[in-house]
Amino acid sequence: GAGVSQSPSNKVTEKGKDVELRCDPISGHTALYWYRQSLGQGLEFLIYFQGNSAPDKSGLPSDRFSAERTGGSVSTLTIQRTQQEDSAVYLCASSFLQGDNQPQHFGDGTRLSIL
Amino acid sequence: GQQVMQIPQYQHVQEGEDFTTYCNSSTTLSNIQWYKQRPGGHPVFLIQLVKSGEVKKQKRLTFQFGEAKKNSSLHITATQTTDVGTYFCAVNYGGSQGNLIFGKGTKLSVKP
């Protein structure tokens, strides 16, 4: 597609439920990034993928969070046993290559609300 | 972990006034990127600075990278209501890390 696509755009769920967020990067982009943004706050790095591998998982807040990427394209971020503090906008970004000189292209995010 | 300090956190200006946001690091940066996030939107890449002392301009926006590559600034001349949003710097310290470290952003509001 023309841009990074994320789904769903909004997700409301009850505490304790599992949720799965999807990111479809720009075609041809090998690097994919997940961030979390709480209301009015900056971007918190979660994880990035180079191809299908995730060299850096240091940003995942707890073992309830996991992510995978298959086929070097679509990625899913899964949050198990959701807690209210997980409420935030989850942003996905992709770049042509992994590296420190590549601009990142962001999707519109998934707004997650935990009741 | 490594962090980047961005100031101010908020800036309210009258339309036509100038605006500057600053990004500071305690260690040398490989490069720095600037992003703009409109209210309700997602961050959009503006520019990247790589060289020591580099200055780049985009219309009314001027971006500078310090000589020591530890700080950067974004200056907007004669702000317009369309400049409203949050401006983030994002840095990479080089090496094998692939992720950018984002500043907390400066939220700009412009009063017409």
Side-chain angles (χ1 to χ4, degrees):
Chain A
V4 177
S5 177
Q6 291 188 247
S7 62
S9 55
N10 285 283
K11 178 71 175 178
V12 181
T13 192
E14 293 180 345
K15 176 183 172 182
K17 300 285 188 182
D18 296 353
V19 295
E20 190 172 277
L21 312 179
R22 175 189 168 104
C23 174
D24 197 346
I26 292 173
S27 179
H29 280 194
T30 60
L32 185 147
Y33 308 81
W34 283 99
Y35 297 89
R36 179 168 71 174
Q37 187 173 35
S38 299
L39 186 62
Q41 301 299 310
L43 278 73
E44 176 188 2
F45 168 77
L46 299 179
I47 190 171
Y48 91 91
F49 290 88
Q50 175 58 34
N52 291 335
S53 65
D56 186 358
K57 301 181 180 180
S58 63
L60 294 177
S62 76
D63 58 8
R64 296 186 295 105
F65 288 71
S66 63
E68 65 175 17
R69 188 181 186 195
T70 56
S73 182
V74 173
S75 175
T76 54
L77 176 68
T78 301
I79 309 174
Q80 296 178 309
R81 306 181 301 282
T82 51
Q83 303 294 314
Q84 288 187 333
E85 60 263 28
D86 299 335
S87 296
V89 175
Y90 289 81
L91 289 162
C92 175
S94 69
S95 64
F96 182 59
L97 293 171
Q98 177 267 327
D100 62 5
N101 63 346
Q102 298 295 319
Q104 295 187 10
H105 301 266
F106 285 81
D108 289 333
T110 293
R111 184 174 299 278
L112 177 63
S113 300
I114 309 300
L115 302 178
Chain B
Q2 293 166 323
Q3 294 184 354
V4 59
M5 179 74 71
Q6 189 172 355
I7 55 172
Q9 188 175 0
Y10 301 97
Q11 187 77 57
H12 309 282
V13 301
Q14 191 78 32
E15 188 173 23
E17 293 181 338
D18 292 357
F19 159 77
T20 305
T21 174
Y22 301 89
C23 203
N24 298 295
S25 170
S26 58
T27 56
T28 303
L29 302 170
S30 173
N31 60 68
I32 190 165
Q33 298 179 4
W34 286 93
Y35 290 78
K36 176 184 178 181
Q37 185 174 25
R38 294 182 185 274
H42 58 265
V44 175
F45 174 80
L46 294 177
I47 208 160
Q48 176 173 266
L49 304 173
V50 179
K51 299 177 182 178
S52 168
E54 189 170 15
V55 177
K56 288 188 177 180
K57 293 190 176 184
Q58 290 179 351
K59 297 183 181 178
R60 295 178 293 104
L61 278 61
T62 302
F63 303 84
Q64 291 189 324
F65 203 8
E67 293 290 341
K69 298 183 71 173
K70 290 184 178 181
N71 55 71
S72 179
S73 65
L74 158 58
H75 179 83
I76 303 178
T77 304
T79 54
Q80 299 175 0
T81 55
T82 53
D83 295 326
V84 164
T86 301
Y87 293 84
F88 293 97
C89 63
V91 303
N92 190 296
Y93 290 94
S96 61
Q97 280 187 298
N99 59 295
L100 293 174
I101 299 172
F102 281 79
K104 293 191 181 297
T106 296
K107 187 174 182 178
L108 172 65
S109 62
V110 179
K111 187 176 181 181

